Amino acid sequence: MSDTHERPRDDAPVTASKTIEPERALSAEAVTIARPAHELYEFWRNPLNLARFMENVVEIVALGTERSRWTVKAPGGKTVSWESVITADEPGKSLTWQSAEGADIANSGRVEFIAAGARGTVVRAIIAYDPPGGTVGQMVAKLFQREPRIQTRRDLRRFKQLMETGEIATAARNRRLLAEQEG
């Protein structure tokens, strides 16, 4: 008999797991948005809306009401893809998802919409993923600004801007504007 004792694998999404595995990276970020929880939930519930404010998303294709195919930018100019499955849905309150078997990057997450009185709604996103290449892969992703913790923080700020003002402010200046200013 072996001296090592192995725990049984917990198949729950890591955001609901009672035994989070240390090799999984976990990100939890939140932002307060001056809009009602049900409006923010309804916007987020349509996966096609997410590409409007998620910077690293190349494409999201709806495959039904509970499934979608995601393609996102990865370090080195590459892209990665996976199928996402909604595993729990509390209308107006939260959504939980898990990547389907065979994902380029196994991931899971939960977004919560918590009423904050006159201030609006606290939107909290918790994302867990298995970084390709382990710790080294996670460091490379950070270097290229493609690490989920960095992305989540930035995406929530853009979501706030879009929901409160109808647009996302950017410091980027396009060629047409530069030409007009120089002309």
Side-chain angles (χ1 to χ4, degrees), residues 48-176:
L48 302 182
N49 285 336
L50 303 179
R52 293 176 58 188
F53 66 88
M54 292 184 172
E55 179 181 47
N56 290 313
V57 170
V58 174
E59 178 181 45
I60 301 173
V61 177
L63 303 173
T65 58
E66 307 298 319
R67 297 175 93 80
S68 54
R69 168 144 297 292
W70 289 61
T71 302
V72 300
K73 297 173 189 172
K78 298 178 182 179
T79 61
V80 293
S81 295
W82 65 85
E83 190 173 310
S84 179
V85 181
I86 293 176
T87 57
D89 184 352
E90 295 181 68
K93 294 183 180 180
S94 69
L95 285 168
T96 304
W97 68 91
Q98 172 90 32
S99 58
E101 192 71 34
D104 287 347
I105 297 178
N107 66 86
S108 61
R110 178 177 175 89
V111 63
E112 300 170 330
F113 305 91
I114 305 158
R119 296 182 322 148
T121 304
V122 174
V123 178
R124 188 172 92 144
I126 305 161
I127 300 179
Y129 74 107
D130 288 328
T135 304
V136 172
Q138 187 176 8
M139 290 171 67
V140 169
K142 273 187 183 178
L143 179 67
F144 285 95
Q145 302 290 299
R146 302 281 186 235
E147 198 267 336
R149 181 172 289 126
I150 295 167
Q151 291 173 307
T152 303
R153 189 175 314 118
R154 290 178 178 169
D155 289 344
L156 284 176
R157 277 195 310 242
R158 281 191 295 280
F159 181 51
K160 176 181 176 69
Q161 290 176 12
L162 183 61
M163 294 293 90
E164 290 182 348
T165 69
E167 64 184 8
I168 298 170
T170 178
R173 298 171 59 157
N174 67 38
R175 290 183 184 168
R176 182 185 57 80

Side-chain angles (χ1 to χ4, degrees), residues 6-24 98 101 106 108 128 130:
E6 287 189 34
R7 300 187 303 214
R9 176 154 169 75
D10 184 350
D11 290 335
V14 75
T15 53
S17 175
K18 300 217 183 333
T19 57
I20 295 175
E21 299 170 27
E23 67 272 10
R24 299 208 75 184
Q98 172 90 32
E101 192 71 34
S108 61
D130 288 328

Side-chain angles (χ1 to χ4, degrees), residues 24-43:
R24 299 208 75 184
L26 187 63
S27 168
E29 303 290 336
V31 66
T32 302
I33 301 175
R35 297 286 292 270
H38 72 276
E39 286 182 21
L40 301 174
Y41 165 86
E42 287 299 326
F43 185 88

